[in-house]
Structure formats: structure tokens, C-alpha cells
Amino acid sequence: LAEAAAMIKRAKKAAGKKKGKRKARSVGSFGEGGTAGKKSKKKRKQNPGMEMMGGGSKAASAATRSAKDEPLSEGLKLLSSKNPKRGREFFAWLIHPMPPSEFMKEYFEKKHLLIRRSNRKSTKGTGEEDSKDDDGEGAGEGSYFSGLYSSERIREALDDSKFEIKFSRDIDIVKYIGGKRRTLNPAGDVVATGDFVWKKLKGGCSLRVLRPQEYNREVYRMVSLMDEYWGRVSGANAYLTPPSTQGFAPHYDDVDVYIVQLEGR
């Protein structure tokens, strides 16, 4: 009996050590449990940021990788995944077909990378005609990033009174005039409306949405997965620019930025 008790004690002790090696859990998207993201082996200098673009903006020159687009639902499935490696899987999907290992070795904090996708959807309601794929087919609803965010979701948030989205604090109306960016927000503590903002867009102004994750579940989960993967706090902004216009002056950012063009050409 003494020997059996000793064996049970050793087994419990071993199980306790094994359990102690498990990673601490963190709060995931909208209260869901998630695992802490794996940190990069290389010490990070800045926090990652996510910018989402719509409209007629063109990407700056950079190293280019063409991508054969995969099913639209793949990224959305990862947003609600319970897999402990979901952060890594989401980042791999985000930069597909570039392998994360190659990205870290050849591009991260070294040079720009541009991944071209041919199937972006049109930006409706801002004066832009339906965009076309490189092969001449309409972009439609089957684009690679469909479901992450859209101009329709922006309009819905503006029209939802529970959010009370205000100028300057939450959104900015801007336009590039005479070589400078001009902020054209109404004076005072003003709640924005969809009608007012869309009228400005049709007049050639651009819209910047600060912290869209506060108004949209998918963006919230996306930022959460970036947090998990990088082991750092991430953020997001969204931009909507009408075709043949410019909202911001040429500039550079002092943080790592991943730009996802959701709509437009």
C-alpha cells in the first residue's frame, strides 16, 4: 500500500508539472476565451497596426506577390475559431501566398511587401462604378476579404444611435487640398450621421474611421487575433476614399502597418 501511495503521489506531481507548462489564457473576441499569442523571436520595435482601405486609392510601389484567391469563408472561419493556433493561421491567411516564415526572414522590418488580389468588390454609394477583376469579371461578393468589413458596415454604424459616433473623436472628414491634408469636421461636439458623411464622400472628401473594432464584431476579432499572434497590442483604422481623389498627404508611419484593401480598384 505504501508503494502504491508513493506511485500515486509521484503521478500527481508529474501531472502538476505538465499542467504548469500550459500557456496562460487571455480574453478573446467579445468575451470568448483565447490563448496568448506566440511572440516573435525578434524583439519588436513598434506595435502592429491594421489599416483597411476602400475606394479609389492605389497601393504604393513595393515587392509584389500575386495571389490565387481562396474561398471567401476561410478567413471568417478563423475569426471564430477555438484553435489555439488561430492567431498564426489568421496571419498566414492574411498574407497568403507569402509563408509567414519567409515574411519574417525577408520582409519584416526590412522592406515593403505588396500582395495583389484581383477580386475586390466595388464601393457602392460613393460615386464609384462597379470595379472589375483583372480578367474583366465583376468583383461581386466573392472577394478574398469579403465579410471582414465594408462601406455598408460603416454606414450601418453611423446610422445606429447606440454608438453615437462623433466627429474628431471617432471619425474624420478629410481632403487633400493645395498639398496639405485639410480636416473638414463640423465644429463642436457633433454626432455624425450617415447622410451627412455620405454627402461629403460624394463631394470628394475622404473618411477616416478610428477604432472600427468598437463598432464591428469582425474587426474586433481580427485585431484580437493579431494581438494573439504578435503578443502585442494592435489597433485598426478604416479609410474610405472616393475614386480619383486623395484624402491624406504623402507620409510615413512609425509603426508596422498591414493595409487591407477591401473595396475599389
Side-chain angles (χ1 to χ4, degrees):
L1 290 175
E3 184 177 354
M7 291 176 65
I8 293 173
K9 186 175 181 180
R10 287 196 297 270
K12 288 183 177 180
K13 186 176 181 180
K17 288 183 178 180
K18 185 177 181 181
K19 186 177 181 180
K21 293 180 180 180
R22 296 177 67 182
K23 294 181 179 180
R25 295 184 66 81
S26 61
V27 177
S29 304
F30 282 83
E32 298 171 356
T35 56
K38 182 178 179 181
K39 294 184 179 181
S40 168
K41 293 181 179 179
K42 185 175 180 179
K43 185 177 180 182
R44 295 211 16 101
K45 297 180 181 179
Q46 288 93 17
N47 295 334
M50 181 73 71
E51 296 190 1
M52 294 164 288
M53 298 170 58
S57 300
K58 293 185 178 180
S61 60
T64 304
R65 176 69 67 97
S66 296
K68 181 179 180 181
D69 297 330
E70 295 183 344
L72 99 96
S73 60
E74 188 64 28
L76 296 183
K77 290 179 181 178
L78 293 172
L79 293 182
S80 56
S81 172
K82 302 295 184 181
N83 189 331
K85 297 181 179 180
R86 63 183 185 175
R88 169 177 282 276
E89 291 178 353
F90 177 79
F91 185 73
W93 174 82
L94 187 71
I95 64 172
H96 174 80
M98 170 66 66
S101 58
E102 182 179 347
F103 172 79
M104 296 300 297
K105 181 179 179 180
E106 301 294 336
Y107 292 94
F108 181 62
E109 295 187 338
K110 297 182 181 72
K111 54 185 177 181
H112 298 90
L113 170 66
L114 172 62
I115 299 175
R116 294 188 182 277
R117 303 193 188 282
S118 62
N119 55 348
R120 292 188 298 271
K121 63 179 292 189
S122 63
T123 306
K124 298 179 180 179
T126 61
E128 182 179 355
E129 300 297 330
D130 288 348
S131 59
K132 300 290 185 181
D133 293 345
D134 294 340
D135 59 6
E137 298 296 327
E141 295 296 328
S143 62
Y144 190 82
F145 295 117
S146 288
L148 283 183
Y149 201 45
S150 66
S151 55
E152 288 92 342
R153 300 292 84 79
I154 294 175
R155 180 64 188 257
E156 288 175 1
L158 288 169
D159 290 336
D160 194 331
S161 59
K162 71 181 179 183
F163 291 128
E164 284 195 347
I165 298 175
K166 295 184 178 182
F167 291 102
S168 300
R169 185 191 70 180
D170 304 313
I171 66 169
D172 288 310
I173 301 294
V174 298
K175 193 169 186 179
Y176 186 62
I177 304 173
K180 296 182 179 180
R181 187 201 82 181
R182 304 292 178 87
T183 301
L184 305 176
N185 295 334
D189 188 30
V190 181
V191 175
T193 65
D195 287 342
F196 181 88
V197 170
W198 250 245
K199 182 178 180 180
K200 290 294 184 181
L201 287 171
K202 291 180 179 179
C205 294
S206 294
L207 171 67
R208 174 170 62 180
V209 181
L210 304 172
R211 309 174 310 282
Q213 63 269 29
E214 294 184 4
Y215 321 115
N216 183 267
R217 182 181 298 271
E218 284 70 37
V219 179
Y220 184 99
R221 288 174 170 169
M222 177 178 65
V223 172
S224 179
L225 291 183
M226 293 293 280
D227 287 352
E228 290 183 18
Y229 177 68
W230 290 105
R232 299 290 187 273
V233 176
S234 304
N237 284 340
Y239 301 85
L240 187 56
T241 298
S244 304
T245 66
Q246 182 174 339
F248 290 80
H251 66 282
Y252 66 90
D253 295 309
D254 59 359
V255 295
D256 299 315
V257 178
Y258 301 89
I259 300 175
V260 180
Q261 185 165 359
L262 302 173
E263 301 177 2
R265 297 179 184 273

